[in-house]
Amino acid sequence: MNLPTLCFTLIAFSVSLSISSQAKTDTIGSSKALLERMLPKERLGDFALEALPADSDSDAFELESRDGKLIIRGNNGVAIASGLNWFLTKHCNSQVSMTYSTIDLPDPLPTLKEKVRVESPFDYRYFFNYCTYGYSMPWWGWERWEEMIDYMACMGVNMPLATIGQEAVWREVYRELGMSDEQLDEFFVGPAHLPWGWMGNIDGLGGPLPQDWIDQRAKLQVKVLERMRALGMKPVLQGFTGHVPIHLRELFPDADIVKIHDWAGIPGTQFLSPEDPLFSRIGTMFIKKQTEMFGTDHYYDADCFIEVDPPSSDPEYLAKVSKGVFDSMTAADPEAVWVMQGWFFFFRSEFWKPEQGRAFLEAIPEGRVIMLDLYGERNPVWDKTEAFYGQPWIWNVICNEDQKVNMSGDLDIMQRNFLEAWKAEGKNGLKGIGTIPEGVGYNPVVQDFIYSRGWDVSEVDMKQWVADYGERRYATENPKASEAWQALLGSVYGRTRVEWNPLIITPQLQIFNPIEEDIRLVRKDIRITEENPLGTDFDAKQLYKASGTLLDLADELKDVESYRFDLVNVHREMLSGLCFVMIDDLTKAYQSGDATKLKAAGGRLLGLFDDLEKLTGTEEMFLLGDWIEEARSWGKTKEEKDYYEWNARTIVTIWQPWPEGGLRDYAGKQWNGLFGSYYRPRWALLVEMLNDSIESGKDFDPQAYDKKLRAMDYKWTRSTGGIASEPTGDPVEESRRVREKYGHYFTK
């Protein structure tokens, strides 16, 4: 679930795909197949494909009208797909998007007056975060991956992180080293938790991993990589970081293996020193075995210390670490290029001072590592590391962490920060642009905008860009679409990102437990004031205006999938934003000692959950049941299906599969099924215990509440069934209903 990606609304028709008289190269064949998947069959004859020389210094596409056809040329499939997307965007008022594309082909096609040639200024257009594979994509099969790869090609992505199936590689490597499958069961983590196992944060959590899962995912990876490469992408595969199973100590008692510090309250994992000869042996074995299974494009991601610190801060030691990792790669693949997330320079900035960072990166030959600057929209590190001490790097935005379901992403700041990096002196190491969201699907405008910069770095008038985007999004010329999106720019797309929404985190009143947020969050507190009566971090009245303007389009667009999704998303955001004032009302009611006021405030808050449950139930992308159904589909037996459901429930709620865990609600979703069966009962318990406190005259006991809550949460993760997996109701009717019911909050 989470992405009925690219479920195209195809509007308008006519005519069959011709191929140029040039030889039908792989580039042409793969591009032809992409057009056949994306365009109406009746219109394929309006397009002809030709190949540009593949030895160009940069990716490029050309467009030209000839004999009533659009000729698209490109030096690879990604370039041709990007040329198609350019034409659809500029001339057909259409949109290829991650979440419901809308393609409207005029008949006849618009004629280009002269040939268009566009070259990308970047070698790399990057996509994906390790966490995306846990928060959004753990259950995707080939059909969803096929849609995503088509989208990526149209966006110009040529360097995706591709980490599916690596458990199969590790299984073979460690078997050859003498480990048993039972020992590996204690090492491999559950399916949705795999990214944190790959990054070396956890061992065994959510396992044991079924052998059938390992086999199925390896087969899927072969298909995914084959399609990516056919289109000209160069996927980034895994490299060895030094993270090893604890049982390796038994097989190699003299190996230099140390336990690194705990991560998020989870015991630290085992780290094999790159100075130990065993490191090179394992790293070389892994890449050779991976290449046998999946091939290679010579790019390997290895993040040794993504959110944990090395055992020593000694620069000489850190230089040996990076040299050891790189040497193990090149021993297996002399052309290896190390791809590394630069997140640790931000997240662990107190450790990675210039002396440590310079030593670590300068020990790698220049140009043989590519650094990913993850947090370009808020906390870039290129300007704090002398542009990664001379190594090439890629500017990215995260925008979404832990796939929070929200509308956020300050497009103006993204553009400003990108242009600052692009125009900076000494930027010669800037080789790419990309997005590294931990979750995808709920803010497609962010990826759509950033990847447009991959072909055109000129500054845009953001108000006009968003206005045009609104019309393309629904393939309409109705100015109200532009008006609605400008209101969104003035509200939710004018904030960098959001805090954890109080509705979906462990319920609390601020008087009992002041909110503590980590360094990545913008807001440090919540205050209801006369100037901000709803306590939101965006202009709530502008969002309310956007909702009304969107509803004005209902008669025209009610059957357009992108419109129906946006309608639910906007009204979900509007309702969930009311939680601040409602929790404030609940707090004041409790402080007053008036049980009647408390029940009334509690009733309003619980009613909000009921309305959010009904609203989100109208759209597939907001269904917990769909997420669970996809998870269960990987199982062959009832036992396996129940296991996958447990893992799917756990990752989006308590995260760590035990009652006393500390990462609860980190990846909480605003989904149908969660609002009704998980979040609402938690708040109902709080209201009940607050009421008991007033009526008994005894102080509320937060510890007693927390104990009951944890037991209730854990029990929920162990349950199965009872969650709807098909949409019910009409998004237009539900949006109108909730807007009318709650409108008074926004019009005071």
Side-chain angles (χ1 to χ4, degrees):
M1 185 247 130
N2 304 351
L3 216 56
T5 57
L6 311 177
C7 296
F8 299 101
T9 301
L10 298 170
I11 309 173
F13 308 94
S14 155
V15 208
S16 86
L17 180 61
S18 70
I19 299 300
S20 123
S21 58
Q22 283 184 245
K24 295 182 180 180
T25 64
D26 289 341
T27 291
I28 297 301
S30 61
S31 302
K32 173 182 180 291
L34 181 144
L35 264 66
E36 289 173 342
R37 289 189 295 272
M38 296 184 63
L39 301 179
K41 291 181 180 179
E42 298 88 342
R43 303 304 302 273
L44 293 173
D46 291 351
F47 298 84
L49 308 181
E50 298 178 358
L52 289 174
D55 57 357
S56 172
D57 290 338
S58 59
D59 282 350
F61 61 79
E62 293 179 354
L63 304 176
E64 185 177 10
S65 294
R66 187 175 66 201
D67 300 329
K69 298 180 185 293
L70 178 72
I71 314 302
I72 309 177
R73 304 184 187 95
N75 61 324
N76 52 50
V78 166
I80 288 176
S82 298
L84 171 67
N85 184 52
W86 189 95
F87 180 74
L88 293 173
T89 298
K90 302 285 187 182
H91 294 280
C92 299
N93 195 33
S94 296
Q95 183 186 100
V96 176
S97 186
M98 187 182 302
T99 310
Y100 296 122
S101 293
T102 308
I103 297 179
D104 183 2
L105 296 180
D107 189 10
L109 286 181
T111 300
L112 300 180
K113 295 180 180 179
E114 56 186 24
K115 183 171 73 173
V116 173
R117 181 179 174 87
V118 178
E119 295 185 10
S120 175
F122 297 112
D123 295 338
Y124 312 111
R125 281 91 57 192
Y126 187 84
F127 196 24
F128 293 137
N129 185 312
Y130 273 96
C131 301
T132 327
Y133 284 85
Y135 291 140
S136 291
M137 308 186 300
W139 317 117
W140 286 10
W142 171 240
E143 183 179 350
R144 289 187 181 278
W145 269 108
E146 186 173 49
E147 292 172 345
M148 174 56 85
I149 294 168
D150 286 348
Y151 165 78
M152 291 193 296
C154 289
M155 294 298 107
V157 172
N158 65 351
M159 192 187 201
L161 180 67
T163 57
I164 306 167
Q166 66 176 270
E167 310 86 72
V169 185
W170 283 121
R171 181 177 62 182
E172 296 307 306
V173 168
Y174 284 124
R175 278 176 174 175
E176 287 186 18
L177 289 171
M179 292 187 67
S180 67
D181 287 346
E182 290 73 24
Q183 289 173 323
L184 287 175
D185 283 345
E186 298 179 33
F187 179 61
F188 290 141
V189 302
H193 291 86
L194 278 169
W196 296 270
W198 299 332
M199 290 186 287
N201 301 129
I202 55 178
D203 287 343
L205 189 146
L209 194 63
Q211 294 296 313
D212 183 63
W213 168 273
I214 297 174
D215 296 335
Q216 288 190 76
R217 300 296 282 186
K219 292 177 182 177
L220 176 61
Q221 176 76 328
V222 170
K223 294 183 72 171
V224 166
L225 293 175
E226 183 181 52
R227 177 61 57 78
M228 288 178 173
R229 288 167 178 153
L231 289 166
M233 299 178 191
K234 297 187 181 299
V236 179
L237 303 184
Q238 183 69 40
F240 181 48
T241 64
H243 173 222
V244 295
I246 192 170
H247 288 291
L248 200 69
R249 289 177 176 270
E250 301 165 18
L251 295 171
F252 300 92
D254 297 328
D256 185 4
I257 299 174
V258 298
K259 180 181 178 180
I260 57 179
H261 67 74
D262 294 358
W263 177 82
I266 300 172
T269 55
Q270 310 299 309
F271 179 73
L272 173 63
S273 171
E275 296 181 88
D276 192 298
L278 183 59
F279 186 102
S280 180
R281 179 182 173 188
I282 294 176
T284 301
M285 287 176 67
F286 176 79
I287 288 180
K288 285 184 176 180
K289 183 65 67 175
Q290 181 174 248
T291 302
E292 288 176 14
M293 291 183 175
F294 303 138
T296 185
D297 295 276
H298 312 295
Y299 293 104
Y300 305 99
D301 188 289
D303 298 299
C304 303
F305 311 109
I306 191 67
E307 287 191 357
V308 293
D309 294 338
S312 170
S313 62
D314 177 34
E316 184 176 348
Y317 169 79
L318 294 172
K320 290 179 180 178
V321 168
S322 58
K323 184 178 186 303
V325 174
F326 180 73
D327 287 348
S328 76
M329 289 181 182
T330 54
D333 180 357
E335 299 179 58
V337 176
W338 185 356
V339 179
M340 190 188 317
Q341 297 184 73
W343 180 251
F344 59 96
F345 283 120
F346 164 64
F347 193 78
R348 305 298 298 175
S349 58
E350 68 278 7
F351 179 95
W352 290 97
K353 304 298 184 186
E355 187 178 9
Q356 284 73 29
R358 185 176 290 107
F360 190 75
L361 291 184
E362 288 184 350
I364 308 167
E366 186 174 338
R368 298 298 295 276
V369 62
I370 299 172
M371 297 300 299
L372 304 175
D373 199 352
L374 269 65
Y375 209 1
E377 74 268 38
R378 180 159 180 81
N379 288 296
V381 295
W382 68 269
D383 55 349
K384 304 173 185 65
T385 58
E386 300 173 29
F388 294 101
Y389 307 110
Q391 296 287 13
W393 57 285
I394 299 174
W395 186 92
N396 297 274
V397 300
I398 297 178
C399 180
N400 181 289
E401 288 164 84
D402 29 274
Q403 204 200 22
K404 288 288 182 288
V405 177
N406 60 55
M407 300 183 73
S408 65
D410 193 320
L411 297 174
D412 278 315
I413 286 182
M414 289 179 190
Q415 173 167 249
R416 186 179 70 203
N417 287 1
F418 165 69
L419 289 173
E420 181 181 352
W422 174 252
K423 296 176 181 178
E425 292 184 13
K427 70 159 178 50
N428 55 341
L430 176 57
K431 299 296 183 182
I433 190 171
T435 69
I436 308 188
E438 291 191 355
V440 294
Y442 297 98
N443 289 291
V445 64
V446 173
Q447 281 79 36
D448 297 346
F449 173 69
I450 293 299
Y451 287 123
S452 71
R453 304 300 86 204
W455 296 95
D456 181 1
V457 297
S458 60
E459 185 172 5
V460 302
D461 179 329
M462 192 58 70
K463 288 184 178 180
Q464 187 60 53
W465 188 90
V466 164
D468 294 340
Y469 181 89
E471 293 190 1
R472 293 197 308 272
R473 180 119 177 96
Y474 315 125
T476 180
E477 295 181 358
N478 193 320
K480 283 190 175 292
S482 295
E483 184 183 337
W485 271 88
Q486 291 201 35
L488 292 175
L489 179 66
S491 53
V492 290
Y493 291 118
R495 57 177 175 175
T496 303
R497 63 153 309 205
V498 301
E499 73 291 332
W500 274 252
N501 187 288
L503 282 182
I504 67 170
I505 63 172
T506 304
Q508 60 186 27
L509 302 184
Q510 211 169 345
I511 57 174
F512 298 139
N513 191 6
I515 291 173
E516 295 180 1
E517 301 178 9
D518 72 32
I519 59 176
R520 289 165 289 186
L521 299 182
V522 177
R523 303 187 69 198
K524 298 300 179 186
D525 56 16
I526 297 168
R527 293 288 182 269
I528 305 297
T529 64
E530 186 175 340
E531 294 76 22
N532 188 7
L534 297 182
T536 58
D537 61 344
F538 59 88
D539 188 332
K541 290 188 176 182
Q542 279 292 305
L543 182 61
Y544 181 72
K545 176 184 176 183
S547 82
T549 307
L550 280 175
L551 280 169
D552 288 343
L553 293 162
D555 288 344
E556 175 189 349
L557 302 177
K558 61 180 181 294
D559 295 323
V560 176
E561 289 175 312
S562 54
Y563 170 77
R564 292 164 67 88
F565 167 80
D566 286 350
L567 200 61
V568 173
N569 206 17
V570 165
H571 286 87
R572 176 208 50 75
E573 191 68 38
M574 194 173 78
L575 263 61
S576 66
L578 293 176
C579 68
F580 303 111
V581 68
M582 288 195 176
I583 293 171
D584 189 63
D585 288 346
L586 187 68
T587 303
K588 290 175 180 176
Y590 175 73
Q591 289 175 316
S592 74
D594 188 325
T596 301
K597 289 183 179 179
L598 180 76
K599 290 178 182 178
R604 289 192 294 273
L605 180 58
L606 297 179
L608 185 66
F609 283 104
D610 295 335
D611 288 325
L612 281 163
E613 178 81 352
K614 289 185 67 177
L615 174 68
T616 53
T618 65
E619 163 55 45
E620 181 185 8
M621 281 194 63
F622 297 97
L623 299 182
L624 170 67
D626 194 32
W627 168 264
I628 290 174
E629 188 174 84
E630 284 192 350
R632 293 184 67 88
S633 72
W634 286 90
K636 294 269 186 1
T637 65
K638 182 181 184 303
E639 181 181 8
E640 284 186 352
K641 290 178 181 292
D642 289 350
Y643 165 77
Y644 292 127
E645 177 168 352
W646 165 69
N647 191 254
R649 284 174 176 254
T650 298
I651 192 70
V652 299
T653 54
I654 62 177
W655 210 101
Q656 297 158 325
W658 46 74
E660 65 277 9
L663 275 177
R664 284 191 303 165
D665 311 307
Y666 184 78
K669 316 296 184 200
Q670 293 192 31
W671 284 348
N672 168 272
L674 281 171
F675 282 124
S677 74
Y678 187 74
Y679 301 133
R680 190 187 192 282
R682 303 165 105 203
W683 282 95
L685 177 62
L686 177 63
V687 172
E688 178 187 336
M689 292 184 68
L690 290 173
N691 184 68
D692 291 346
S693 170
I694 290 177
E695 292 187 346
S696 67
K698 296 179 180 179
D699 289 342
F700 173 77
D701 186 345
Q703 286 72 34
Y705 171 71
D706 187 66
K707 184 177 180 179
K708 288 184 178 181
L709 183 70
R710 286 177 180 271
M712 185 168 69
D713 291 352
Y714 181 75
K715 181 180 179 181
W716 185 91
T717 65
R718 290 289 181 174
S719 60
T720 59
I723 307 294
S725 59
E726 295 291 336
T728 57
D730 181 76
V732 174
E733 292 178 5
E734 277 303 308
S735 296
R736 281 180 174 148
R737 183 185 68 81
V738 297
R739 189 174 194 274
E740 181 177 350
K741 180 176 179 179
Y742 293 97
H744 63 279
Y745 282 100
F746 302 93
T747 55
K748 291 179 181 178

